[in-house]
Amino acid sequence: MAFTLPDLPYAHDALAALGMSKETLEYHHDIHHKAYVDNGNKLIAGTEWEGKSVEEIVVGTYNKTAVAQNGIFNNASQHWNHALFWEIMGPGEKAMPGALEKALTESFGSVDTFKEEFSAAGAGQFGSGWAWLVKDADGALKVTKTENGVNPLCFGQTALLGCDVWEHSYYIDFRNKRPAYLTNFLDKLVNWEAVAARL
């Protein structure tokens, strides 16, 4: 099926007071994400992937032995990653549901320790990539990081939370301070209800 750019679930300026400016969302969603959608549609046209879901395309085109992934994978995975990214952020109340807090405490010792591990993963990702909270096939929660557009689907994991650490995600608002962007993301931007719903 054709890729379509999802609307943001909030106004472009809805996160500005929380550290993600209208300008960032205009560039990141309206230009960067749209480019993955447009390029992905061009690349899958007339191929075996044209009628497949984005999840099937990501899993089917990922090459675990390759240093650089192919164009279809890169655009499909980044489309999937960004669709999740918009969904797990939002304005408003940021209280963490009890079930998620319990799961994080059981897995990491405390919510603060989880946040430290997640921030360290994102800050330590050399170059472009993503930091993730995933549920593994055995049900365990883990913090991971991936290069470029690679995502948890490639490893049979369920993504609960993902943070884009490509420079276009934070440079307008935080310049080169990626750790500060990650702290702000966890403390002010994440919609923990949306994360809990993915458990």
Side-chain angles (χ1 to χ4, degrees):
M1 73 183 80
F3 301 162
T4 56
L5 181 68
D7 291 334
L8 287 174
Y10 32 77
H12 284 80
D13 61 357
L15 306 180
L18 303 173
M20 187 170 283
S21 65
K22 178 180 179 183
E23 185 181 10
T24 288
L25 283 173
E26 287 172 341
Y27 273 95
H28 199 175
H29 175 270
D30 301 359
I31 297 174
H32 283 279
H33 190 173
K34 186 176 186 298
Y36 298 130
V37 169
D38 292 344
N39 291 332
N41 282 329
K42 288 175 189 172
L43 289 168
I44 65 172
T47 73
E48 64 184 293
W49 305 109
E50 190 168 17
K52 305 288 188 184
S53 71
V54 65
E55 291 83 4
E56 290 173 312
I57 296 169
V58 168
V59 173
T61 60
Y62 176 64
N63 181 352
K64 65 181 179 181
T65 64
V67 174
Q69 297 297 317
N70 63 77
I72 290 178
F73 173 85
N74 286 333
N75 286 279
S77 65
Q78 283 288 71
H79 171 44
W80 188 91
N81 293 353
H82 283 82
L84 177 128
F85 189 54
W86 313 133
E87 288 173 10
I88 52 84
M89 291 190 294
E93 179 58 47
K94 294 298 187 293
M96 184 178 290
L100 178 59
E101 184 175 358
K102 182 173 183 286
L104 291 174
T105 301
E106 288 175 352
S107 298
F108 300 98
S110 70
V111 172
D112 285 343
T113 301
F114 152 70
K115 288 183 175 183
E116 290 167 8
E117 290 189 24
F118 189 94
S119 292
Q125 172 56 43
F126 181 75
S128 300
W130 291 74
W132 303 97
L133 170 66
V134 303
K135 183 165 68 172
D136 229 336
D138 62 3
L141 299 190
K142 295 179 181 176
V143 166
T144 65
K145 61 183 179 180
T146 58
E147 73 280 359
N148 300 319
V150 176
N151 68 45
L153 292 175
C154 303
F155 313 107
Q157 299 166 324
T158 300
L160 305 180
L161 176 67
C163 185
D164 188 349
V165 296
W166 289 56
E167 286 188 345
H168 64 239
S169 185
Y170 61 87
Y171 219 83
I172 290 171
D173 302 313
F174 290 90
R175 295 299 185 254
N176 64 337
K177 297 179 177 68
R178 189 191 285 183
Y181 157 73
L182 285 156
T183 297
N184 186 77
F185 172 77
L186 291 169
D187 290 346
K188 296 183 179 179
L189 291 168
V190 175
N191 176 351
W192 295 108
E193 293 276 359
V195 177
R198 302 181 66 85
L199 263 177

